[in-house]
Amino acid sequence: MPPAVLNFLQKIGANRDLALAGGVIAIIAMLILPIPPFMLDLGLALSITISVMILMTALFIEKPLELSAFPTILLVSTMLRLGLNLASTRLILGHGHEGPDAAGGVIGAFGEFLMGGETVIGLTIFLILIIINFVVITKGAGRIAEVAARFSLDAMPGKQMAIDADLSAGMIDETQARERRAEIEAESGFYGAMDGASKFVKGDAIAALIITAVNIVVGLGLGVIEHGVPLAEAFRTYTVLTAGDGLVSQIPALIVSTAAGLLVSKGGVKGKTGSALGEQLGRYPKAFGMVSFLMGALALMPGLPFVPFAAFSAASGYAAWYMSKKAAQRQRLQATLEAQENAKAATVEQPISQTLAIDAVRIEIGYALLPMVNDEQREPRLDDQVRALRRQMATDYGFVLPSVRIIDNMGLKPSEYVITIKETEAARGEIRLDKLLLINPGGGPAGLPGDVTREPVFGLPALWIDRELRDEANFRGLTVVDCGTIITTHLTELVKENIADMLSYTETQKLLTEVHKESEKLVADIVPSKVSISSVQRILQNLLSEGISIRDIPTILEGIAEAAPHTTSLTQMTEHVRGRLARQISASQTRGEAIPVVTLSAEWDAEFGESIVGMGDDRQLAMAPSALQRFIAQVRETYDRLAQDGEIPCLLTSPSLRPFVRSIVERVRPATVVLSQNEIHARARIRALGSIG
């Protein structure tokens, strides 16, 4: 290739955006300005080249989104063909009387090839090509694109929720989540654009019919009337030119339409089209064997030609034998690899680090409960319920619960399970996989046959009933629980009790550096210059221990930054942060339209105030044991009386006393919420139910 031409092509490659803009301008110019025959030949050759290149690319790509620019390519190629059609029409009508070469060598050669000496046959073949392109390929590809676009759009919310669930469960990171979301959006946009782009090809086919009619009718009129060409010669010349023009434009259109059909019909098929089809068809050698038998039978039937059917029978039989042989080889190879892996796993000693690793949460189950995990048909499975629990805990409390390991333990009873927290047994229970657990919320007899038991989570009276009684129990307003829900409920209660201990140093670091990246500047300002990661961890643990969500990390960090210059006490920092979270805390404790509260009497307020000794960060409660016993008794009496009325109020104290009151109340009533006045939001309403003392 000459250096000047090579240099020109390199410049085009380096400035592809300018090259595309120049190409579009050239197409527009063809619609307005006449072009000589040799330029038309060059344009028609370019059109055929581009169409073949598009088809080959569609065959070799791995998935449709790798050619997401196809709708744009379709539009540009269609505009190129229409521009060439208009330019050829101008030459045919203006110079058709001069002979078959009036519109260039390409159109003349294609016309003569198509006609083969028979005008009617040539026109018929040309019309059939248009019908194939318009009715079969374009219409089918358009319908596939339309349905794919609709289904892709309908499935988008579910796919987004699946991505959010995987992100919450820690299965993917934020970067992977963004990539998946972008892929979903690109897929929806691609099929939507393909749905619209298919109309380009449809319009191109209609335009080809109109242009054909115009060229023949108008060409005959001009040739006979204006140029005096005999009717037979004019019909022959203009028909050849028109058919050649239509053929040289419809062949690229047919190729591009085929590429569009391959692209949108590929759908969920992964890999190159030829490889994917060969791999998938090759899975079923018996199908080729049946084809071979049928073709052989047809070859032996009297009246049918023997050679074609016998040849295909032999080819199908060989394919069936060859694929069966390959399948057997793959099975032997797979068995060998599995044996090698098992032997390798058996001989390799487990790393000491894995031996010393501690599971934050673990569920051990007896062998009779294994179907809860292994049975693919079971709905819902235990591991799916645990994943849902982790997502719910992330939503409610603001950090991802460590992975829950589920293992079988042959040392347990067949239907027994044990839940451990940091390798320490926290709870155990026994369930019956073939039964349902029935609980009467009212506490009376259930009135249904079953085996008497106590549910393992709260120790309430319950019954094991047959699964057929579920509908009747629901009709009576009784609570029916399956075995997976029993274990996950038990796990939920244990996690809530120990949630503060599960927020490790590593998890705290992840929260600050990975999950809440938008607070990166705030974290850099306070850690480690004002407080350490360990201090932040302890403050977050203090909040979690009282059931306060830590999702609002920015507000928590702002509270720490405000309190750090004035105190080094983590307790006082926690109290200041709780004040900053007043809106969240008040909303979580609102019942109906107000927060039910019980206050401290003036006497107890004074008693606590006088019992606090020390200054600043060294303050401690030094109350007489007799006074403590009296206070505890009054708290119990007040809350028991309110519980009979169905009330579960918060205990409201002054900000300076709240930590000390909480430290006493949590020993006798751990579930009682103790609030300070600073934690009641300005717009929250309270409902006083009494006072202590």
Side-chain angles (χ1 to χ4, degrees):
M1 186 176 291
V5 176
L6 184 62
N7 186 39
F8 176 72
L9 294 177
Q10 289 176 347
K11 288 183 178 180
I12 291 178
N15 299 276
R16 284 170 287 189
D17 51 347
L18 295 178
L20 178 61
V24 173
I25 292 174
I27 292 173
I28 296 173
M30 283 192 297
L31 298 174
I32 302 173
L33 303 174
I35 61 174
F38 79 91
M39 289 292 294
L40 179 62
D41 289 345
L42 186 63
L44 294 172
L46 176 63
S47 176
I48 296 175
T49 303
I50 291 175
S51 63
V52 174
M53 181 182 65
I54 293 172
L55 177 61
M56 293 299 105
T57 304
L59 286 172
F60 286 108
I61 60 172
E62 297 285 339
K63 54 184 180 179
L65 286 182
E66 290 182 9
L67 196 60
S68 58
F70 190 84
T72 304
I73 297 173
L74 199 60
L75 172 61
V76 174
S77 63
T78 303
M79 287 299 299
L80 174 61
R81 289 196 303 274
L82 291 175
L84 292 171
N85 267 339
L86 186 60
S88 62
T89 298
R90 184 180 286 113
L91 288 174
I92 290 172
L93 297 180
H95 303 278
H97 61 282
E98 298 175 4
D101 294 330
V106 174
I107 290 178
F110 268 85
E112 292 291 346
F113 170 76
L114 179 65
M115 290 300 184
E118 295 292 339
T119 305
V120 177
I121 294 176
L123 284 177
T124 303
I125 294 174
F126 168 65
L127 292 175
I128 290 174
L129 279 177
I130 293 178
I131 292 172
I132 291 173
N133 186 21
F134 177 58
V135 177
V136 181
I137 299 178
T138 303
K139 190 172 182 180
R143 180 58 178 166
I144 294 174
E146 178 185 354
V147 174
R150 186 185 307 162
F151 284 178
S152 176
L153 189 62
D154 291 343
M156 184 178 292
K159 292 180 180 179
Q160 294 282 12
M161 291 174 65
I163 294 172
D164 294 339
D166 290 346
L167 180 61
S168 300
M171 299 172 66
I172 58 174
D173 55 26
E174 188 64 37
T175 302
Q176 292 172 314
R178 281 197 296 268
E179 291 175 355
R180 288 192 186 182
R181 292 191 186 101
E183 185 175 355
I184 291 173
E185 293 174 1
E187 181 183 358
S188 177
F190 170 74
Y191 285 115
M194 282 299 299
D195 182 25
S198 62
K199 304 300 187 295
F200 299 151
V201 183
K202 179 179 179 181
D204 183 27
I206 296 173
L209 288 172
I210 297 173
I211 292 172
T212 300
V214 168
N215 284 345
I216 293 178
V217 174
V218 177
L220 281 174
L222 290 174
V224 173
I225 298 173
E226 184 173 340
H227 300 291
V229 179
L231 179 62
E233 182 181 349
F235 182 76
R236 165 73 180 171
T237 301
Y238 284 101
T239 303
V240 167
L241 291 175
T242 300
D245 178 34
L247 185 64
V248 83
S249 63
Q250 280 306 303
I251 286 178
L254 187 64
I255 293 174
V256 173
S257 299
T258 304
L262 286 171
L263 203 62
V264 297
S265 62
K266 198 169 186 181
V269 178
K270 294 182 179 179
K272 300 179 180 65
T273 303
S275 301
L277 291 176
E279 192 273 333
Q280 293 180 17
L281 291 175
R283 297 174 188 171
Y284 309 102
K286 292 181 180 179
F288 283 84
M290 294 300 296
V291 170
S292 175
F293 174 77
L294 179 61
M295 294 299 102
L298 292 176
L300 298 176
M301 287 185 65
L304 290 178
F306 175 80
V307 175
F309 290 103
F312 284 111
S313 175
S316 301
Y318 176 78
W321 172 80
Y322 182 77
M323 287 187 292
S324 299
K325 181 181 177 181
K326 285 294 184 181
Q329 290 178 353
R330 284 196 300 269
Q331 290 178 355
R332 288 195 296 269
L333 179 60
Q334 184 177 2
T336 303
L337 292 176
E338 289 179 355
Q340 292 175 351
E341 290 293 331
N342 293 335
K344 184 178 179 181
T347 55
V348 175
E349 182 181 357
Q350 187 179 22
I352 298 298
S353 59
Q354 293 186 10
T355 305
L356 296 178
I358 294 178
D359 293 325
V361 186
R362 186 172 69 227
I363 301 175
E364 300 176 4
I365 57 178
Y367 69 86
L369 303 181
L370 287 176
M372 300 178 68
V373 180
N374 297 336
D375 189 357
E376 296 291 341
Q377 304 299 323
R378 189 176 185 85
E379 188 68 31
R381 289 172 41 182
L382 179 59
D383 49 347
D384 293 334
Q385 290 178 296
V386 170
R387 277 193 287 270
L389 168 62
R390 294 183 70 219
R391 291 193 292 270
Q392 187 61 44
M393 295 298 292
T395 301
D396 293 343
Y397 290 96
F399 86 101
V400 179
L401 182 71
S403 297
V404 179
R405 191 177 175 198
I406 305 175
I407 62 173
D408 62 312
N409 186 344
M410 300 302 293
L412 298 177
K413 296 178 182 178
S415 297
E416 191 176 26
Y417 69 90
V418 172
I419 301 175
T420 63
I421 305 292
K422 293 189 175 180
E423 301 291 330
T424 302
E425 181 179 327
R428 71 169 57 214
E430 194 166 352
I431 55 180
R432 298 173 60 174
L433 202 56
D434 59 335
K435 302 283 187 178
L436 295 173
L437 189 68
L438 176 69
I439 304 171
N440 187 355
L448 291 175
D451 300 330
V452 178
T453 185
R454 285 192 173 271
E455 62 89 20
V457 184
F458 303 104
L460 300 175
L463 286 177
W464 287 112
I465 64 171
D466 294 332
R467 294 181 174 272
E468 292 78 11
L469 298 176
R470 179 195 289 268
D471 293 338
E472 184 177 351
N474 289 332
F475 178 74
R476 297 188 182 190
L478 304 175
T479 302
V480 181
V481 186
D482 60 69
C483 293
T485 304
I486 294 172
I487 296 178
T488 51
T489 303
H490 211 160
L491 177 62
T492 302
E493 295 303 316
L494 292 174
V495 167
K496 288 180 180 179
E497 293 175 6
N498 299 274
I499 192 168
D501 295 334
M502 294 182 185
L503 182 63
S504 63
Y505 182 93
T506 303
E507 294 296 330
T508 304
Q509 206 165 29
K510 285 183 181 178
L511 279 176
L512 299 181
T513 59
E514 297 180 14
V515 179
H516 295 276
K517 291 184 178 180
E518 71 277 1
S519 303
E520 184 178 356
K521 183 65 171 61
L522 183 57
V523 173
D525 287 344
I526 66 174
V527 178
S529 59
K530 296 181 180 179
V531 293
S532 63
I533 291 283
S534 298
S535 298
V536 176
Q537 175 195 359
R538 187 57 190 161
I539 292 170
L540 296 178
Q541 286 178 330
N542 291 341
L543 296 171
L544 288 172
S545 65
E546 296 193 44
I548 297 176
S549 172
I550 59 172
R551 287 186 68 180
D552 193 2
I553 285 289
T555 301
I556 294 173
L557 294 177
E558 290 169 6
I560 295 174
E562 292 170 358
H566 306 291
T567 180
T568 58
S569 170
L570 298 182
T571 300
Q572 293 188 26
M573 287 186 187
T574 304
E575 293 304 309
H576 184 78
V577 169
R578 288 175 64 98
R580 289 296 305 269
L581 296 173
R583 183 190 299 275
Q584 171 187 319
I585 295 174
S586 296
S588 65
Q589 299 303 324
T590 299
R591 307 289 183 267
E593 297 182 354
I595 305 173
V597 298
V598 169
T599 60
L600 285 183
S601 64
E603 292 78 8
W604 278 117
D605 197 276
E607 181 81 20
F608 272 95
E610 293 171 359
S611 301
I612 296 175
V613 297
M615 299 295 292
D617 297 343
D618 298 325
R619 297 196 313 156
Q620 295 180 355
L621 181 66
M623 183 179 287
S626 58
L628 284 176
Q629 292 298 328
R630 192 170 73 256
F631 176 73
I632 291 172
Q634 291 181 5
V635 169
R636 282 177 172 166
E637 178 186 353
T638 302
Y639 272 84
D640 289 344
R641 174 170 47 82
L642 292 172
Q644 294 177 358
D645 299 332
E647 298 284 358
I648 307 177
C650 305
L651 181 56
L652 187 62
T653 70
S654 62
S656 60
L657 301 181
R658 199 207 75 85
F660 305 105
V661 175
R662 169 64 185 170
S663 65
I664 297 173
V665 172
E666 69 177 342
R667 302 179 192 280
V668 292
R669 296 185 66 90
T672 301
V673 177
V674 182
L675 302 179
S676 73
Q677 284 119 5
N678 286 350
E679 297 163 23
I680 305 296
H681 191 260
R683 295 187 178 180
R685 299 175 59 187
I686 62 174
R687 180 164 54 92
L689 300 178
S691 63
I692 306 295

